[in-house]
Amino acid sequence: MPRVDEFHANPFAAPESDLQPEFEYQNSGPVEYAGFWARLVATIVDGIMIQCCMIVLATVILVVAGMTSIDQGLATLIVLLIGFICGWLYNALQESSEGRATLGKKLMGLKVVDLAGRKINFARASGRYFAKTFSAIILMIGFLIQPLNDKKQALHDMMAGTLVTKG
């Protein structure tokens, strides 16, 4: 529809568009962001899940290393490397799935979404996981800032462009 004001004839006027803003939240109704304690409980549950798997895996690797000529130091390094990879895949695969949450987040009724409320892809979920390391190295301040901002984003959420929401 053409403009009927004084800018109609101006060739430098901004064009009009029927497109919606890129970052308009996709869900209907108000967005409820996840609180600090719900996220902490979800993280503890996820940590327990990963540690249980790692105990079984580490026991198997160290027993095999004891029965063979593999050095115990090398076996320990292998366990640590596999543990790192398992933690990454556990988080990134589940958060980028249709469920949009790890088991701990599902238990607490939380989801990880992008700034527009859409499902995140594996690359963004991976970036979010690795950014958690930065949140932790700076004396956990990256996690502790989460309750202090409007969208309740931790530092790794801000770096990855994600939100953790209820529902």
Side-chain angles (χ1 to χ4, degrees):
M1 181 164 158
R3 295 185 189 189
V4 289
D5 57 15
E6 69 273 4
F7 294 106
H8 178 64
N10 184 349
F12 301 107
E16 291 183 350
S17 173
D18 294 332
L19 296 176
Q20 296 296 322
E22 182 179 349
F23 291 115
E24 184 175 309
Y25 198 77
Q26 297 289 316
N27 292 345
S28 60
V31 179
E32 191 174 355
Y33 302 112
F36 179 80
W37 296 110
R39 289 177 66 161
L40 179 63
V41 170
T43 300
I44 291 169
V45 169
D46 290 333
I48 290 170
M49 299 289 292
I50 293 170
Q51 288 304 313
C52 288
C53 293
M54 285 309 304
I55 288 170
V56 171
L57 185 61
T59 302
V60 169
I61 291 173
L62 293 174
V63 166
V64 169
M67 294 181 347
T68 62
S69 61
I70 297 175
D71 180 51
Q72 289 293 325
L74 178 61
T76 303
L77 183 63
I78 291 169
V79 167
L80 291 174
L81 180 63
I82 291 174
F84 176 76
I85 292 170
C86 286
W88 162 50
L89 292 176
Y90 174 87
N91 283 277
L93 288 172
Q94 290 185 66
E95 290 176 356
S96 64
S97 72
E98 287 302 318
R100 301 177 188 184
T102 60
L103 296 175
K105 286 183 183 71
K106 284 179 186 175
L107 179 70
M108 298 305 295
L110 309 177
K111 289 184 178 182
V112 179
V113 295
D114 70 5
L115 296 176
R118 298 176 297 228
K119 181 175 88 71
I120 62 174
N121 61 24
F122 181 76
R124 186 176 296 232
S126 295
R128 183 178 186 273
Y129 176 78
F130 294 123
K132 284 181 184 180
T133 305
F134 186 71
S135 288
I137 321 182
I138 54 172
L139 304 174
M140 301 299 217
I141 292 172
F143 295 103
L144 298 176
I145 66 169
Q146 185 261 326
L148 304 176
N149 61 65
D150 293 342
K151 294 181 181 179
K152 297 191 178 182
Q153 290 175 294
L155 181 60
H156 54 274
D157 292 315
M158 292 177 199
M159 292 170 71
T162 58
L163 300 169
V164 181
T165 62
K166 292 183 180 179

